[in-house]
C-alpha cells in the first residue's frame, strides 16, 4: 500500500508544477476579480481553472479517490472528510496576494487516508519552492531537507498570523486584541505573508517560529500539516489541544513550549467547522 501512496505523491508534485505554471502565466495577464462570501473573500477565473486542472488529473488517474477542493465547495460540493483516500486542494492559497501580484502564492494539496494526512505538498510558484512531506519520511524544499528553528522562548520568536476585516464586530475586536496580546509578551514581531500554507512552510523551514489562525479551512491547512510535522514542528488546535483538520483553527510552532504559550494568550471565537453541514 505504501508504494501506492508514493505514486500518488509523485503525481501530486507533477500536477502542482503544472498548476504553478498556469498561475505564473496568469500573473502576466489581466486578472478579473470576483467576491465570494464578503468583499475581502476573493476568487478569480484562475482559481477555478487551476482547481479543474488538478481535479481532472486526479480523477483520471485515481477515479475511486475523493476530493475536497476550495472552489468546488464554494460551488456547493461536500466538504465532509471520510476514511477514503482524499485529496484536499487549494488551487491558489493566497488569492488576495495573487490579485495584487504580491509574490506569496501557492498550490496546496494534502492527501488523507482514514482521515490522517499521509502526504502534503505546497508549491510556492512565484518563488519556485516545492515543499513536500510524506508521513515518516521527512520534509523537503526543492528536495533539500528542512527543519523548524527549535526556538523554545516565545520572547525570541517571530510569529505569523493573518488579519482581515470581519463583519462580526466582536470577532473583529477579539482578533485585533489577540494580536495585541501576542505583541505585548513581547515577541520579536508579527508578520502576515497572506497564505496559510506558505506560513506553515515558513515555520517548517525555520524562517518563523509560530503561526496561529482562526477561520481558515481544511484546504488551507492539509498540505502544510504534513510539512510542519515532518519538519519536527508541532501543530495543535488554537486551544492547545489536539489538531483537528476540519476545525478551521490551528497553532503551528517550532516547539510545544511556544504553541502552549500562544494558546494561553489567545481568546477564542466561534468559526464553525468545515464539516458542519453533517452535524
Ligand atoms: C486564504 C489564506 C489566507 C487567509 C484567508 C484565506 P485563499 O486562502 O491562505 O492566509 O488569511 O483566510 O483562507 O482564499 O487565498 O485560498
Amino acid at each position: 500500500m505504501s508504494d501506492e501512496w508514493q505514486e500518488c505523491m509523485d503525481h501530486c508534485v507533477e500536477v502542482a508544477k503544472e498548476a504553478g505554471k498556469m498561475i505564473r502565466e496568469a500573473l502576466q495577464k489581466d486578472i478579473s476579480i470576483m467576491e465570494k462570501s464578503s468583499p475581502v473573500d476573493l476568487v478569480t477565473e484562475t482559481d477555478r481553472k487551476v482547481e479543474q486542472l488538478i481535479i481532472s488529473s486526479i480523477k483520471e488517474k485515481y477515479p475511486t479517490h475523493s476530493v475536497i477542493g476550495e472552489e468546488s465547495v464554494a460551488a456547493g460540493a461536500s466538504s465532509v472528510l471520510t476514511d477514503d483516500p482524499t485529496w484536499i486542494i487549494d488551487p491558489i492559497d493566497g488569492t488576495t496576494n495573487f490579485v495584487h501580484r504580491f509574490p506569496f502564492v501557492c498550490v496546496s494539496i494534502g492527501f488523507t487516508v482514514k482521515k490522517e494526512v499521509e502526504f502534503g505538498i505546497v508549491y510556492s510558484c512565484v518563488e519556485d519552492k516545492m515543499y513536500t512531506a510524506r508521513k515518516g519520511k521527512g520534509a523537503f524544499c526543492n528536495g533539500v531537507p528542512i527543519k523548524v528553528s527549535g526556538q523554545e522562548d516565545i520572547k525570541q520568536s517571530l510569529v505569523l498570523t493573518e488579519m482581515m476585516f470581519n463583519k462580526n464586530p466582536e470577532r473583529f475586536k477579539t482578533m485585533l486584541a489577540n494580536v495585541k496580546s501576542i505583541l505585548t509578551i513581547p515577541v520579536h514581531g508579527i508578520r502576515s505573508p497572506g497564505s496559510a500554507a506558505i506560513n506553515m512552510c515558513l515555520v517548517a523551514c525555520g524562517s518563523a517560529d509560530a503561526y496561529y489562525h482562526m477561520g481558515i479551512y481544511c484546504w488551507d491547512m492539509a498540505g502544510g500539516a504534513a510539512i510542519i510535522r515532518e519538519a519536527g514542528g508541532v501543530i495543535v488546535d488554537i486551544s492547545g489541544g489536539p489538531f483537528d483538520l476540519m476545525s478551521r483553527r490551528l497553532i503551528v510552532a517550532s516547539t510545544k513550549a511556544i504553541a502552549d504559550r500562544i494558546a494561553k494568550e489567545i481568546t477564542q471565537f466561534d468559526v464553525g467547522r468545515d464539516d458542519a453541514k453533517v452535524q
Side-chain angles (χ1 to χ4, degrees):
M1 196 53 87
S2 61
D3 284 340
E4 189 186 343
W5 303 151
Q6 187 57 48
E7 190 199 294
C8 292
M9 185 167 166
D10 295 342
H11 183 70
C12 185
V13 169
E14 288 315 308
V15 78
K17 281 185 192 161
E18 218 181 308
K21 186 165 170 270
M22 195 185 244
I23 295 168
R24 282 194 301 268
E25 284 168 3
L27 281 166
Q28 306 302 320
K29 301 178 188 155
D30 286 344
I31 299 171
S32 64
I33 309 161
M34 291 156 279
E35 287 176 14
K36 287 201 283 188
S37 61
S38 81
V40 295
D41 183 13
L42 308 179
V43 65
T44 70
E45 212 35 60
T46 308
D47 293 72
R48 291 175 180 154
K49 280 188 186 151
V50 170
E51 183 157 317
Q52 277 161 17
L53 169 91
I54 298 170
I55 292 181
S56 58
S57 168
I58 292 168
K59 285 283 174 198
E60 193 184 315
K61 216 161 160 32
Y62 308 106
T64 61
H65 289 186
S66 296
V67 165
I68 297 175
E70 176 174 14
E71 305 315 331
S72 311
V73 172
S78 160
S79 58
V80 175
L81 188 62
T82 67
D83 283 345
D84 293 345
T86 303
W87 301 70
I88 304 178
I89 302 157
D90 193 339
I92 303 183
D93 187 43
T95 301
T96 303
N97 288 350
F98 172 74
V99 306
H100 290 276
R101 298 184 169 81
F102 190 71
F104 300 111
V105 172
C106 69
V107 180
S108 173
I109 306 175
F111 180 79
T112 62
V113 180
K114 295 193 171 35
K115 302 191 181 79
E116 290 293 319
V117 180
E118 177 66 32
F119 68 75
I121 70 101
V122 173
Y123 181 40
S124 180
C125 56
V126 177
E127 302 179 285
D128 193 21
K129 288 184 176 173
M130 177 68 78
Y131 295 93
T132 54
R134 180 155 180 228
K135 194 158 84 182
K137 308 260 185 209
F140 302 85
C141 178
N142 291 344
V144 178
I146 54 171
K147 62 179 171 58
V148 293
S149 66
Q151 182 60 255
E152 299 265 351
D153 182 358
I154 188 89
K155 293 187 175 173
Q156 303 291 319
S157 68
L158 187 66
V159 178
L160 310 178
T161 193
E162 298 294 335
M163 288 159 277
M164 72 283 298
F165 170 70
N166 190 316
K167 55 192 172 208
N168 177 319
E170 272 314 303
R171 286 186 198 173
F172 195 34
K173 208 167 118 189
T174 306
M175 185 192 76
L176 295 173
N178 283 336
V179 169
K180 188 176 173 193
S181 300
I182 300 290
L183 283 174
T184 310
I185 291 174
V187 296
H188 277 177
I190 287 192
R191 302 286 184 271
S192 293
S195 157
I198 291 179
N199 290 349
M200 294 170 84
C201 292
L202 288 169
V203 178
C205 65
S207 298
D209 305 295
Y211 165 50
Y212 74 89
H213 203 142
M214 282 180 280
I216 49 174
Y217 298 89
C218 59
W219 45 81
D220 298 313
M221 307 193 280
I227 293 162
I228 190 72
R229 281 182 180 137
E230 289 300 316
V234 298
I235 177 167
V236 293
D237 180 58
I238 200 82
S239 64
F243 172 66
D244 174 347
L245 184 56
M246 308 311 276
S247 69
R248 302 194 54 202
R249 39 195 245 171
L250 87 174
I251 301 171
V252 158
S254 60
T255 56
K256 186 173 179 307
I258 288 191
D260 286 348
R261 182 60 199 271
I262 290 176
K264 207 175 117 201
E265 294 293 336
I266 295 294
T267 301
Q268 297 171 32
F269 50 83
D270 181 26
V271 288
R273 292 181 57 82
D274 279 312
D275 51 7
K277 283 177 203 142
V278 290
Q279 288 185 329

